C-alpha cells in the first residue's frame, strides 16, 4: 500500500485526500493505515475521530481497525481505554 510508505500521518492523510479528489473511494484498508500511523504517534483523539468518520462514510471499522486502537492505548499504558475499545470490538462481533 503506497500510504504505508508515507513517513508520517499528514503525508498519508494528504494522499488519502488526493485519492478522493481523483474519484477513488478509500477502503477500510486505507483508513487502517492512517489509524496505525496515528496510534504509533500516540494521537489517539484523532484516531477515535477517524473511527467515527469511517462509520459515517459507511465503512465500519474491521478487526484490524480495533486492534490498532487497542495496541495504541496499551502502548500508552491506558488499559481502561484499551478495554473500552476491546468491548466495542466484541460488540461489533470481532472478538469473543
Amino acid at each position: 500500500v503506497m500510504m504505508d510508505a508515507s513517513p508520517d500521518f499528514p503525508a498519508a492523510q494528504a494522499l488519502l485526500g488526493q485519492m478522493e479528489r481523483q474519484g477513488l473511494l478509500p477502503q477500510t484498508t486505507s483508513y487502517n493505515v492512517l489509524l496505525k500511523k496515528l496510534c504509533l504517534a500516540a494521537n489517539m483523539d484523532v484516531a477515535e475521530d477517524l473511527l467515527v468518520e469511517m462509520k459515517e462514510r459507511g465503512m465500519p471499522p474491521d478487526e484490524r481497525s480495533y486492534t490498532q486502537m487497542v495496541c495504541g492505548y496499551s502502548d500508552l499504558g491506558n488499559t481502561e481505554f484499551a478495554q473500552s475499545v476491546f468491548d466495542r470490538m466484541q460488540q461489533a462481533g470481532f472478538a469473543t
Side-chain angles (χ1 to χ4, degrees), residues 2-3 11-26:
M2 187 174 169
M3 285 176 38
Q13 190 175 34
L15 185 56
L16 183 69
Q18 182 181 359
M19 288 171 56
E20 291 176 336
R21 285 188 296 280
Q22 293 178 357
L24 301 171
L25 297 176

Side-chain angles (χ1 to χ4, degrees), residues 7-93:
D8 57 26
F9 174 71
Q13 190 175 34
L15 185 56
L16 183 69
Q18 182 181 359
M19 288 171 56
E20 291 176 336
R21 285 188 296 280
Q22 293 178 357
L24 301 171
L25 297 176
Q27 301 296 313
T28 302
T29 302
S30 303
Y31 280 99
N32 285 343
V33 171
L34 293 177
L35 282 172
K36 179 180 179 181
K37 291 182 178 302
L38 288 166
C39 291
L40 288 172
N43 199 341
M44 301 308 293
D45 289 339
V46 178
E48 289 283 0
D49 291 343
L50 192 60
L51 283 180
V52 171
E53 180 181 323
M54 289 173 71
K55 292 176 186 177
E56 289 174 350
R57 291 177 151 219
M59 279 176 267
D62 63 10
E63 187 172 8
R64 178 167 271 180
S65 309
Y66 289 111
T67 300
Q68 293 291 352
M69 297 294 292
V70 169
C71 290
Y73 282 123
S74 294
D75 288 347
L76 292 172
N78 194 333
T79 56
E80 183 178 325
F81 280 98
Q83 183 63 52
S84 172
V85 173
F86 185 77
D87 292 344
R88 285 187 276 165
M89 186 177 180
Q90 284 184 309
Q91 291 170 357

